[in-house]
Amino acid sequence: MSTQTTYRILISGGGTGGHIYPAIAIANAWKEKHPASEILFVGALGKMEMQKVPEAGYEIKGLPIAGLQRSLTLDNLSFPFKLVKSLRAAYQIVQEFRPDAVVGVGGYASGPVLYAAQNKRIPTLVQEQNSYAGLTNKLLAKKANAICVAYPNMEKFFPSRKIKITGNPVRKDILDLSGKKETGLEHFGLAADRKTVLVLGGSLGARTLNQAVLKDMHKLEESGYQVLWQCGKFYFKEMLATLENADLKHVHLREFIREMDLAYAVADLIVSRAGALSVSELSLVGKPVIFIPSPNVAEDHQTKNAMAFVNHQAAVLLKDSEAIGQLKSKIDALMQDGSLVEALGKNIKKLAKPDAANAIVIELEKLVK
């Protein structure tokens, strides 16, 4: 189904890269098949989607929605008002844009937009990235027409008849990394004669990963490694201040890495959290990975994400509680075992789903026919 029909597709959600980049990948895949379509995003004001979506070439409208804090704060008192205001704005956006279908990828903005669309009997598709469904998606799934997931056994969260296992959509530029290593080394200012450790704590950052690198960074450089380190926006100033006095030439700090294809191309080993987008991308990259799952997520789903790979001899697990002080030894053990490095790279690629975005587009096409 590839036509010049002017479909209107509304995509809502965000908050983190794990929601935003799959949403952009779905939009790109739809636009490729239906270039005459109009695509509008809806996000949460002040969240990173308000910057990342326009950078990808799409229009986005913002809602004042915010989540409830786990601790008792004054911000929680304003939640009902923000929710009501966001629902009104969502209804207005749906009314004016008149979408043929609405996609929710999770995050604060998904709730009001899909709720408004469902009440107006507009077809909706929910895309759940994790092995443990978020509260918003669980509520929206009751009236959704299709639910696209990345993991099996999601019937405990969603109606089985609506579930489609598609995998998580990822950025197209990482599907083929061949020929990009030299460009990446030059782009990041890396040495060609050193093994590169890529450290990824997510777009916002991960304190444990940052503290682990801080503790071992001198030893890593002394052992002949170089580190390309995405520390996240929450920790960048703190890490930069520490690094400026460290006299290190081969530890390269970045707040955020936009050119992830180049970062993956230069990496000999990757240290990462085990969020849904990360594990989906890394399976396509086919490099040895040390997963350090975040313990601060619902139902410890990052550990479950990681174990799906560890159980297939496709990655190595390092517990968050053991990462500070043990990261260097874990890296050494891997780097010194060439056959293990090769096996991990091959095995993780077997678990990849490179056509996830197109699979979701096919489900979306069924809804707009």
Side-chain angles (χ1 to χ4, degrees):
M1 179 178 170
S2 181
T3 71
Q4 291 298 313
T5 305
T6 307
Y7 294 108
R8 290 187 178 90
I9 305 298
L10 193 60
I11 302 177
S12 63
T16 67
H19 293 311
I20 297 162
Y21 293 114
I24 292 171
I26 293 168
N28 290 342
W30 181 271
K31 199 79 172 171
E32 203 169 280
K33 292 185 77 173
H34 307 284
S37 297
E38 293 179 31
I39 297 176
L40 176 65
F41 281 73
V42 181
L45 289 170
K47 295 297 181 180
M48 64 183 289
E49 59 264 26
M50 302 307 294
Q51 176 190 349
K52 300 302 176 187
V53 169
E55 285 177 356
Y58 295 101
E59 182 185 354
I60 186 167
K61 292 184 181 293
L63 303 180
I65 190 72
L68 279 167
Q69 304 300 311
R70 292 182 183 180
S71 56
L72 289 172
T73 67
L74 290 173
D75 287 341
N76 282 344
L77 295 176
S78 66
F79 174 77
F81 302 100
K82 288 180 178 179
L83 179 58
V84 170
K85 195 173 179 182
S86 295
L87 279 167
R88 285 176 181 162
Y91 270 102
Q92 186 173 352
I93 290 168
V94 170
Q95 183 87 23
E96 291 175 356
F97 187 64
R98 293 179 292 113
D100 295 290
V102 179
V103 179
V105 296
Y108 300 140
S110 269
V113 175
L114 264 74
Y115 181 81
Q118 288 171 351
N119 280 352
K120 288 183 171 293
R121 301 187 181 279
I122 296 167
T124 58
L125 181 149
V126 169
Q127 199 261 323
E128 174 58 59
Q129 298 93 24
N130 288 295
S131 57
Y132 183 86
L135 176 61
T136 301
N137 278 353
K138 281 192 282 187
L139 292 172
L140 295 169
K142 294 173 184 176
K143 291 186 178 180
N145 299 81
I147 304 160
C148 295
V149 302
Y151 292 89
N153 306 316
M154 296 298 283
E155 295 84 1
K156 55 192 169 186
F157 306 114
F158 305 127
S160 59
R161 71 184 186 283
K162 298 181 181 180
I163 294 174
K164 309 290 179 184
I165 300 179
T166 57
N168 280 324
V170 299
R171 291 165 279 198
K172 201 171 183 180
D173 57 5
I174 70 165
L175 294 177
D176 184 10
L177 301 179
S178 57
K180 292 186 177 181
K181 184 170 183 177
E182 286 187 11
T183 305
L185 291 172
E186 184 178 347
H187 177 79
F188 294 113
L190 301 174
D193 60 346
R194 281 182 171 250
K195 293 283 188 183
T196 303
V197 178
L198 174 62
V199 180
L200 302 169
S203 54
L204 303 179
R207 178 168 291 280
T208 298
L209 269 68
N210 290 336
Q211 293 299 324
V213 176
L214 281 181
K215 185 170 179 61
D216 289 339
M217 60 187 182
H218 286 92
K219 293 177 183 177
L220 287 165
E221 182 163 310
E222 288 164 10
S223 296
Y225 304 121
Q226 60 191 344
V227 181
L228 179 56
W229 174 16
Q230 177 182 282
C231 68
K233 71 180 261 188
F234 287 166
Y235 304 99
F236 181 65
K237 289 182 181 177
E238 178 190 346
M239 297 301 113
L240 185 62
T242 306
L243 205 57
E244 281 176 347
N245 301 315
D247 192 29
L248 292 168
K249 295 180 180 178
H250 298 287
V251 177
H252 302 263
L253 183 72
R254 296 286 188 280
E255 176 182 336
F256 180 78
I257 299 173
R258 187 178 302 168
E259 308 82 0
M260 282 307 304
D261 57 327
L262 299 183
Y264 288 139
V266 301
D268 294 287
L269 184 149
I270 300 165
V271 179
S272 176
R273 283 301 200 200
L277 178 63
S278 297
V279 298
S280 297
E281 288 193 351
L282 292 170
S283 64
L284 291 162
V285 170
K287 300 281 180 83
V289 179
I290 297 172
F291 281 126
I292 305 177
S294 170
N296 306 312
V297 292
E299 295 295 310
D300 197 23
H301 70 251
Q302 284 205 9
T303 297
K304 293 170 185 173
N305 290 350
M307 289 307 298
F309 289 79
V310 173
N311 291 337
H312 286 87
Q313 289 76 53
V316 171
L317 181 74
L318 177 58
K319 291 181 180 178
D320 185 270
S321 59
E322 299 172 354
I324 300 172
Q326 293 190 27
L327 180 60
K328 167 73 163 50
S329 60
K330 208 76 167 177
I331 290 170
D332 284 339
L334 257 178
M335 289 292 207
Q336 291 162 13
D337 190 339
S339 60
L340 178 58
V341 163
E342 186 179 351
L344 289 173
K346 283 183 179 178
N347 290 341
I348 198 169
K349 211 150 193 183
K350 291 176 185 175
L351 302 176
K353 287 187 169 67
D355 295 320
N358 286 326
I360 292 169
V361 164
I362 289 169
E363 296 305 318
L364 197 53
E365 286 173 337
K366 294 174 185 176
L367 303 186
V368 302
K369 278 185 179 178

